[in-house]
Amino acid sequence: EDQVTQSPEALRLQEGESSSLNCSYTVSGLRGLFWYRQDPGKGPEFLFTLYSAGEEKEKERLKATLTKKESFLHITAPKPEDSATYLCAVQVRRDSNYKLTFGKGTLLTVNP
Amino acid sequence: DTGVSQDPRHKITKRGQNVTFRCDPISEHNRLYWYRQTLGQGPEFLTYFQNEAQLEKSRLLSDRFSAERPKGSFSTLEIQRTEQGDSAMYLCASSQTGIGGYTFGSGTRLTVV
């Protein structure tokens, strides 16, 4: 069974304090790994897709990296508006429906 | 299109009542998904449409749940004889190819009392 585990469950940072969120996965045949941001009461908002080990993507203060077993979302000099739940999800090659299997998310709080 | 629209945003219903949710995907997207999310959990796959055909249903989707996508446009998700365990956020998403992830709507929050 495909598994996605995110850590930590919650992270509290001071504004400007850089850190990383982890997503470890156990799947048979990874097609892609996805990062989403979710604000309270809203649907997930797409951030990045990573397809192969060694790949990196960047957007503003966020940088996502991928290895064969895990992905990291690095947050550099975060601001309070970066506070949200960050979700990691995987797609596997055997699924022709392209469904996503999500982790439980990391709740990030950035204090001013 | 400005994105995936879901209606209503919130629904409170009494146990045993039937409810129906609507999703309007991005117009050029032929793939449509329904997910369910409970507090503190990530979204869980419920069902998938390609155009008007429902191609997969999760084992989470009991016989009380039914989904349709007439003419491959909007979709509805109906829950019959609601139970308290059905309380959750129901999310709809659409994509053109499946590759590269998809766009989610803001969800419908269902509370069964």
Side-chain angles (χ1 to χ4, degrees):
Chain A
E1 185 179 336
D2 303 324
Q3 285 197 326
V4 180
T5 304
Q6 293 190 244
S7 62
E9 291 184 5
L11 181 63
R12 190 177 293 270
L13 299 174
Q14 288 298 122
E15 184 172 1
E17 179 186 2
S18 303
S19 188
S20 296
L21 313 182
N22 178 264
C23 171
S24 62
Y25 60 91
T26 305
V27 301
S28 177
L30 180 73
R31 173 184 281 133
L33 185 140
F34 302 81
W35 283 99
Y36 282 85
R37 169 192 170 128
Q38 187 173 29
D39 293 306
K42 296 190 175 181
E45 175 189 347
F46 172 77
L47 292 174
F48 304 109
T49 308
L50 301 165
Y51 293 104
S52 57
E55 189 175 0
E56 299 182 351
K57 294 270 181 77
E58 283 190 67
K59 179 181 179 181
E60 296 181 353
R61 295 176 293 280
L62 300 177
K63 178 180 176 180
T65 62
L66 181 66
T67 72
K68 289 185 178 180
K69 294 182 177 181
E70 58 191 348
S71 177
F72 292 93
L73 185 65
H74 307 278
I75 303 176
T76 302
K79 298 182 177 182
E81 53 261 42
D82 295 322
S83 298
T85 295
Y86 290 85
L87 295 164
C88 170
V90 297
Q91 263 182 1
V92 296
R93 290 199 191 95
R94 68 176 182 279
D95 283 337
S96 60
N97 57 23
Y98 295 89
K99 74 180 182 193
L100 295 178
T101 300
F102 283 87
K104 293 183 178 182
T106 293
L107 175 60
L108 174 67
T109 305
V110 182
N111 295 316
Chain B
D1 282 312
T2 56
V4 177
S5 298
Q6 292 190 245
D7 183 69
R9 290 296 312 279
H10 304 276
K11 179 71 176 179
I12 300 174
T13 191
K14 291 184 178 179
R15 191 174 51 187
Q17 297 294 306
N18 298 345
V19 294
T20 300
F21 311 139
R22 177 180 170 121
C23 170
D24 287 274
I26 294 172
S27 59
E28 62 266 28
H29 287 182
N30 61 357
R31 294 170 180 262
L32 187 146
Y33 301 82
W34 285 97
Y35 282 75
R36 181 172 68 189
Q37 186 177 24
T38 54
L39 199 62
Q41 303 294 315
E44 294 177 293
F45 171 78
L46 292 180
T47 190
Y48 157 65
F49 290 85
Q50 185 161 347
N51 299 312
E52 67 275 11
Q54 187 175 20
L55 298 184
E56 185 170 341
K57 292 169 62 173
S58 163
R59 63 182 184 278
L60 296 175
L61 221 59
S62 76
D63 291 343
R64 298 183 296 105
F65 288 71
S66 62
E68 293 183 342
R69 192 183 182 197
K71 301 179 182 179
S73 56
F74 70 92
S75 177
T76 58
L77 178 67
E78 180 183 16
I79 309 174
Q80 296 183 327
R81 305 181 303 282
T82 52
E83 302 173 354
Q84 285 191 322
D86 296 331
S87 296
M89 173 80 87
Y90 290 84
L91 294 162
C92 176
S94 70
S95 77
Q96 195 162 13
T97 65
I99 299 173
Y102 23 84
T103 303
F104 281 89
S106 291
T108 294
R109 167 72 66 188
L110 173 66
T111 303
V112 181
V113 297

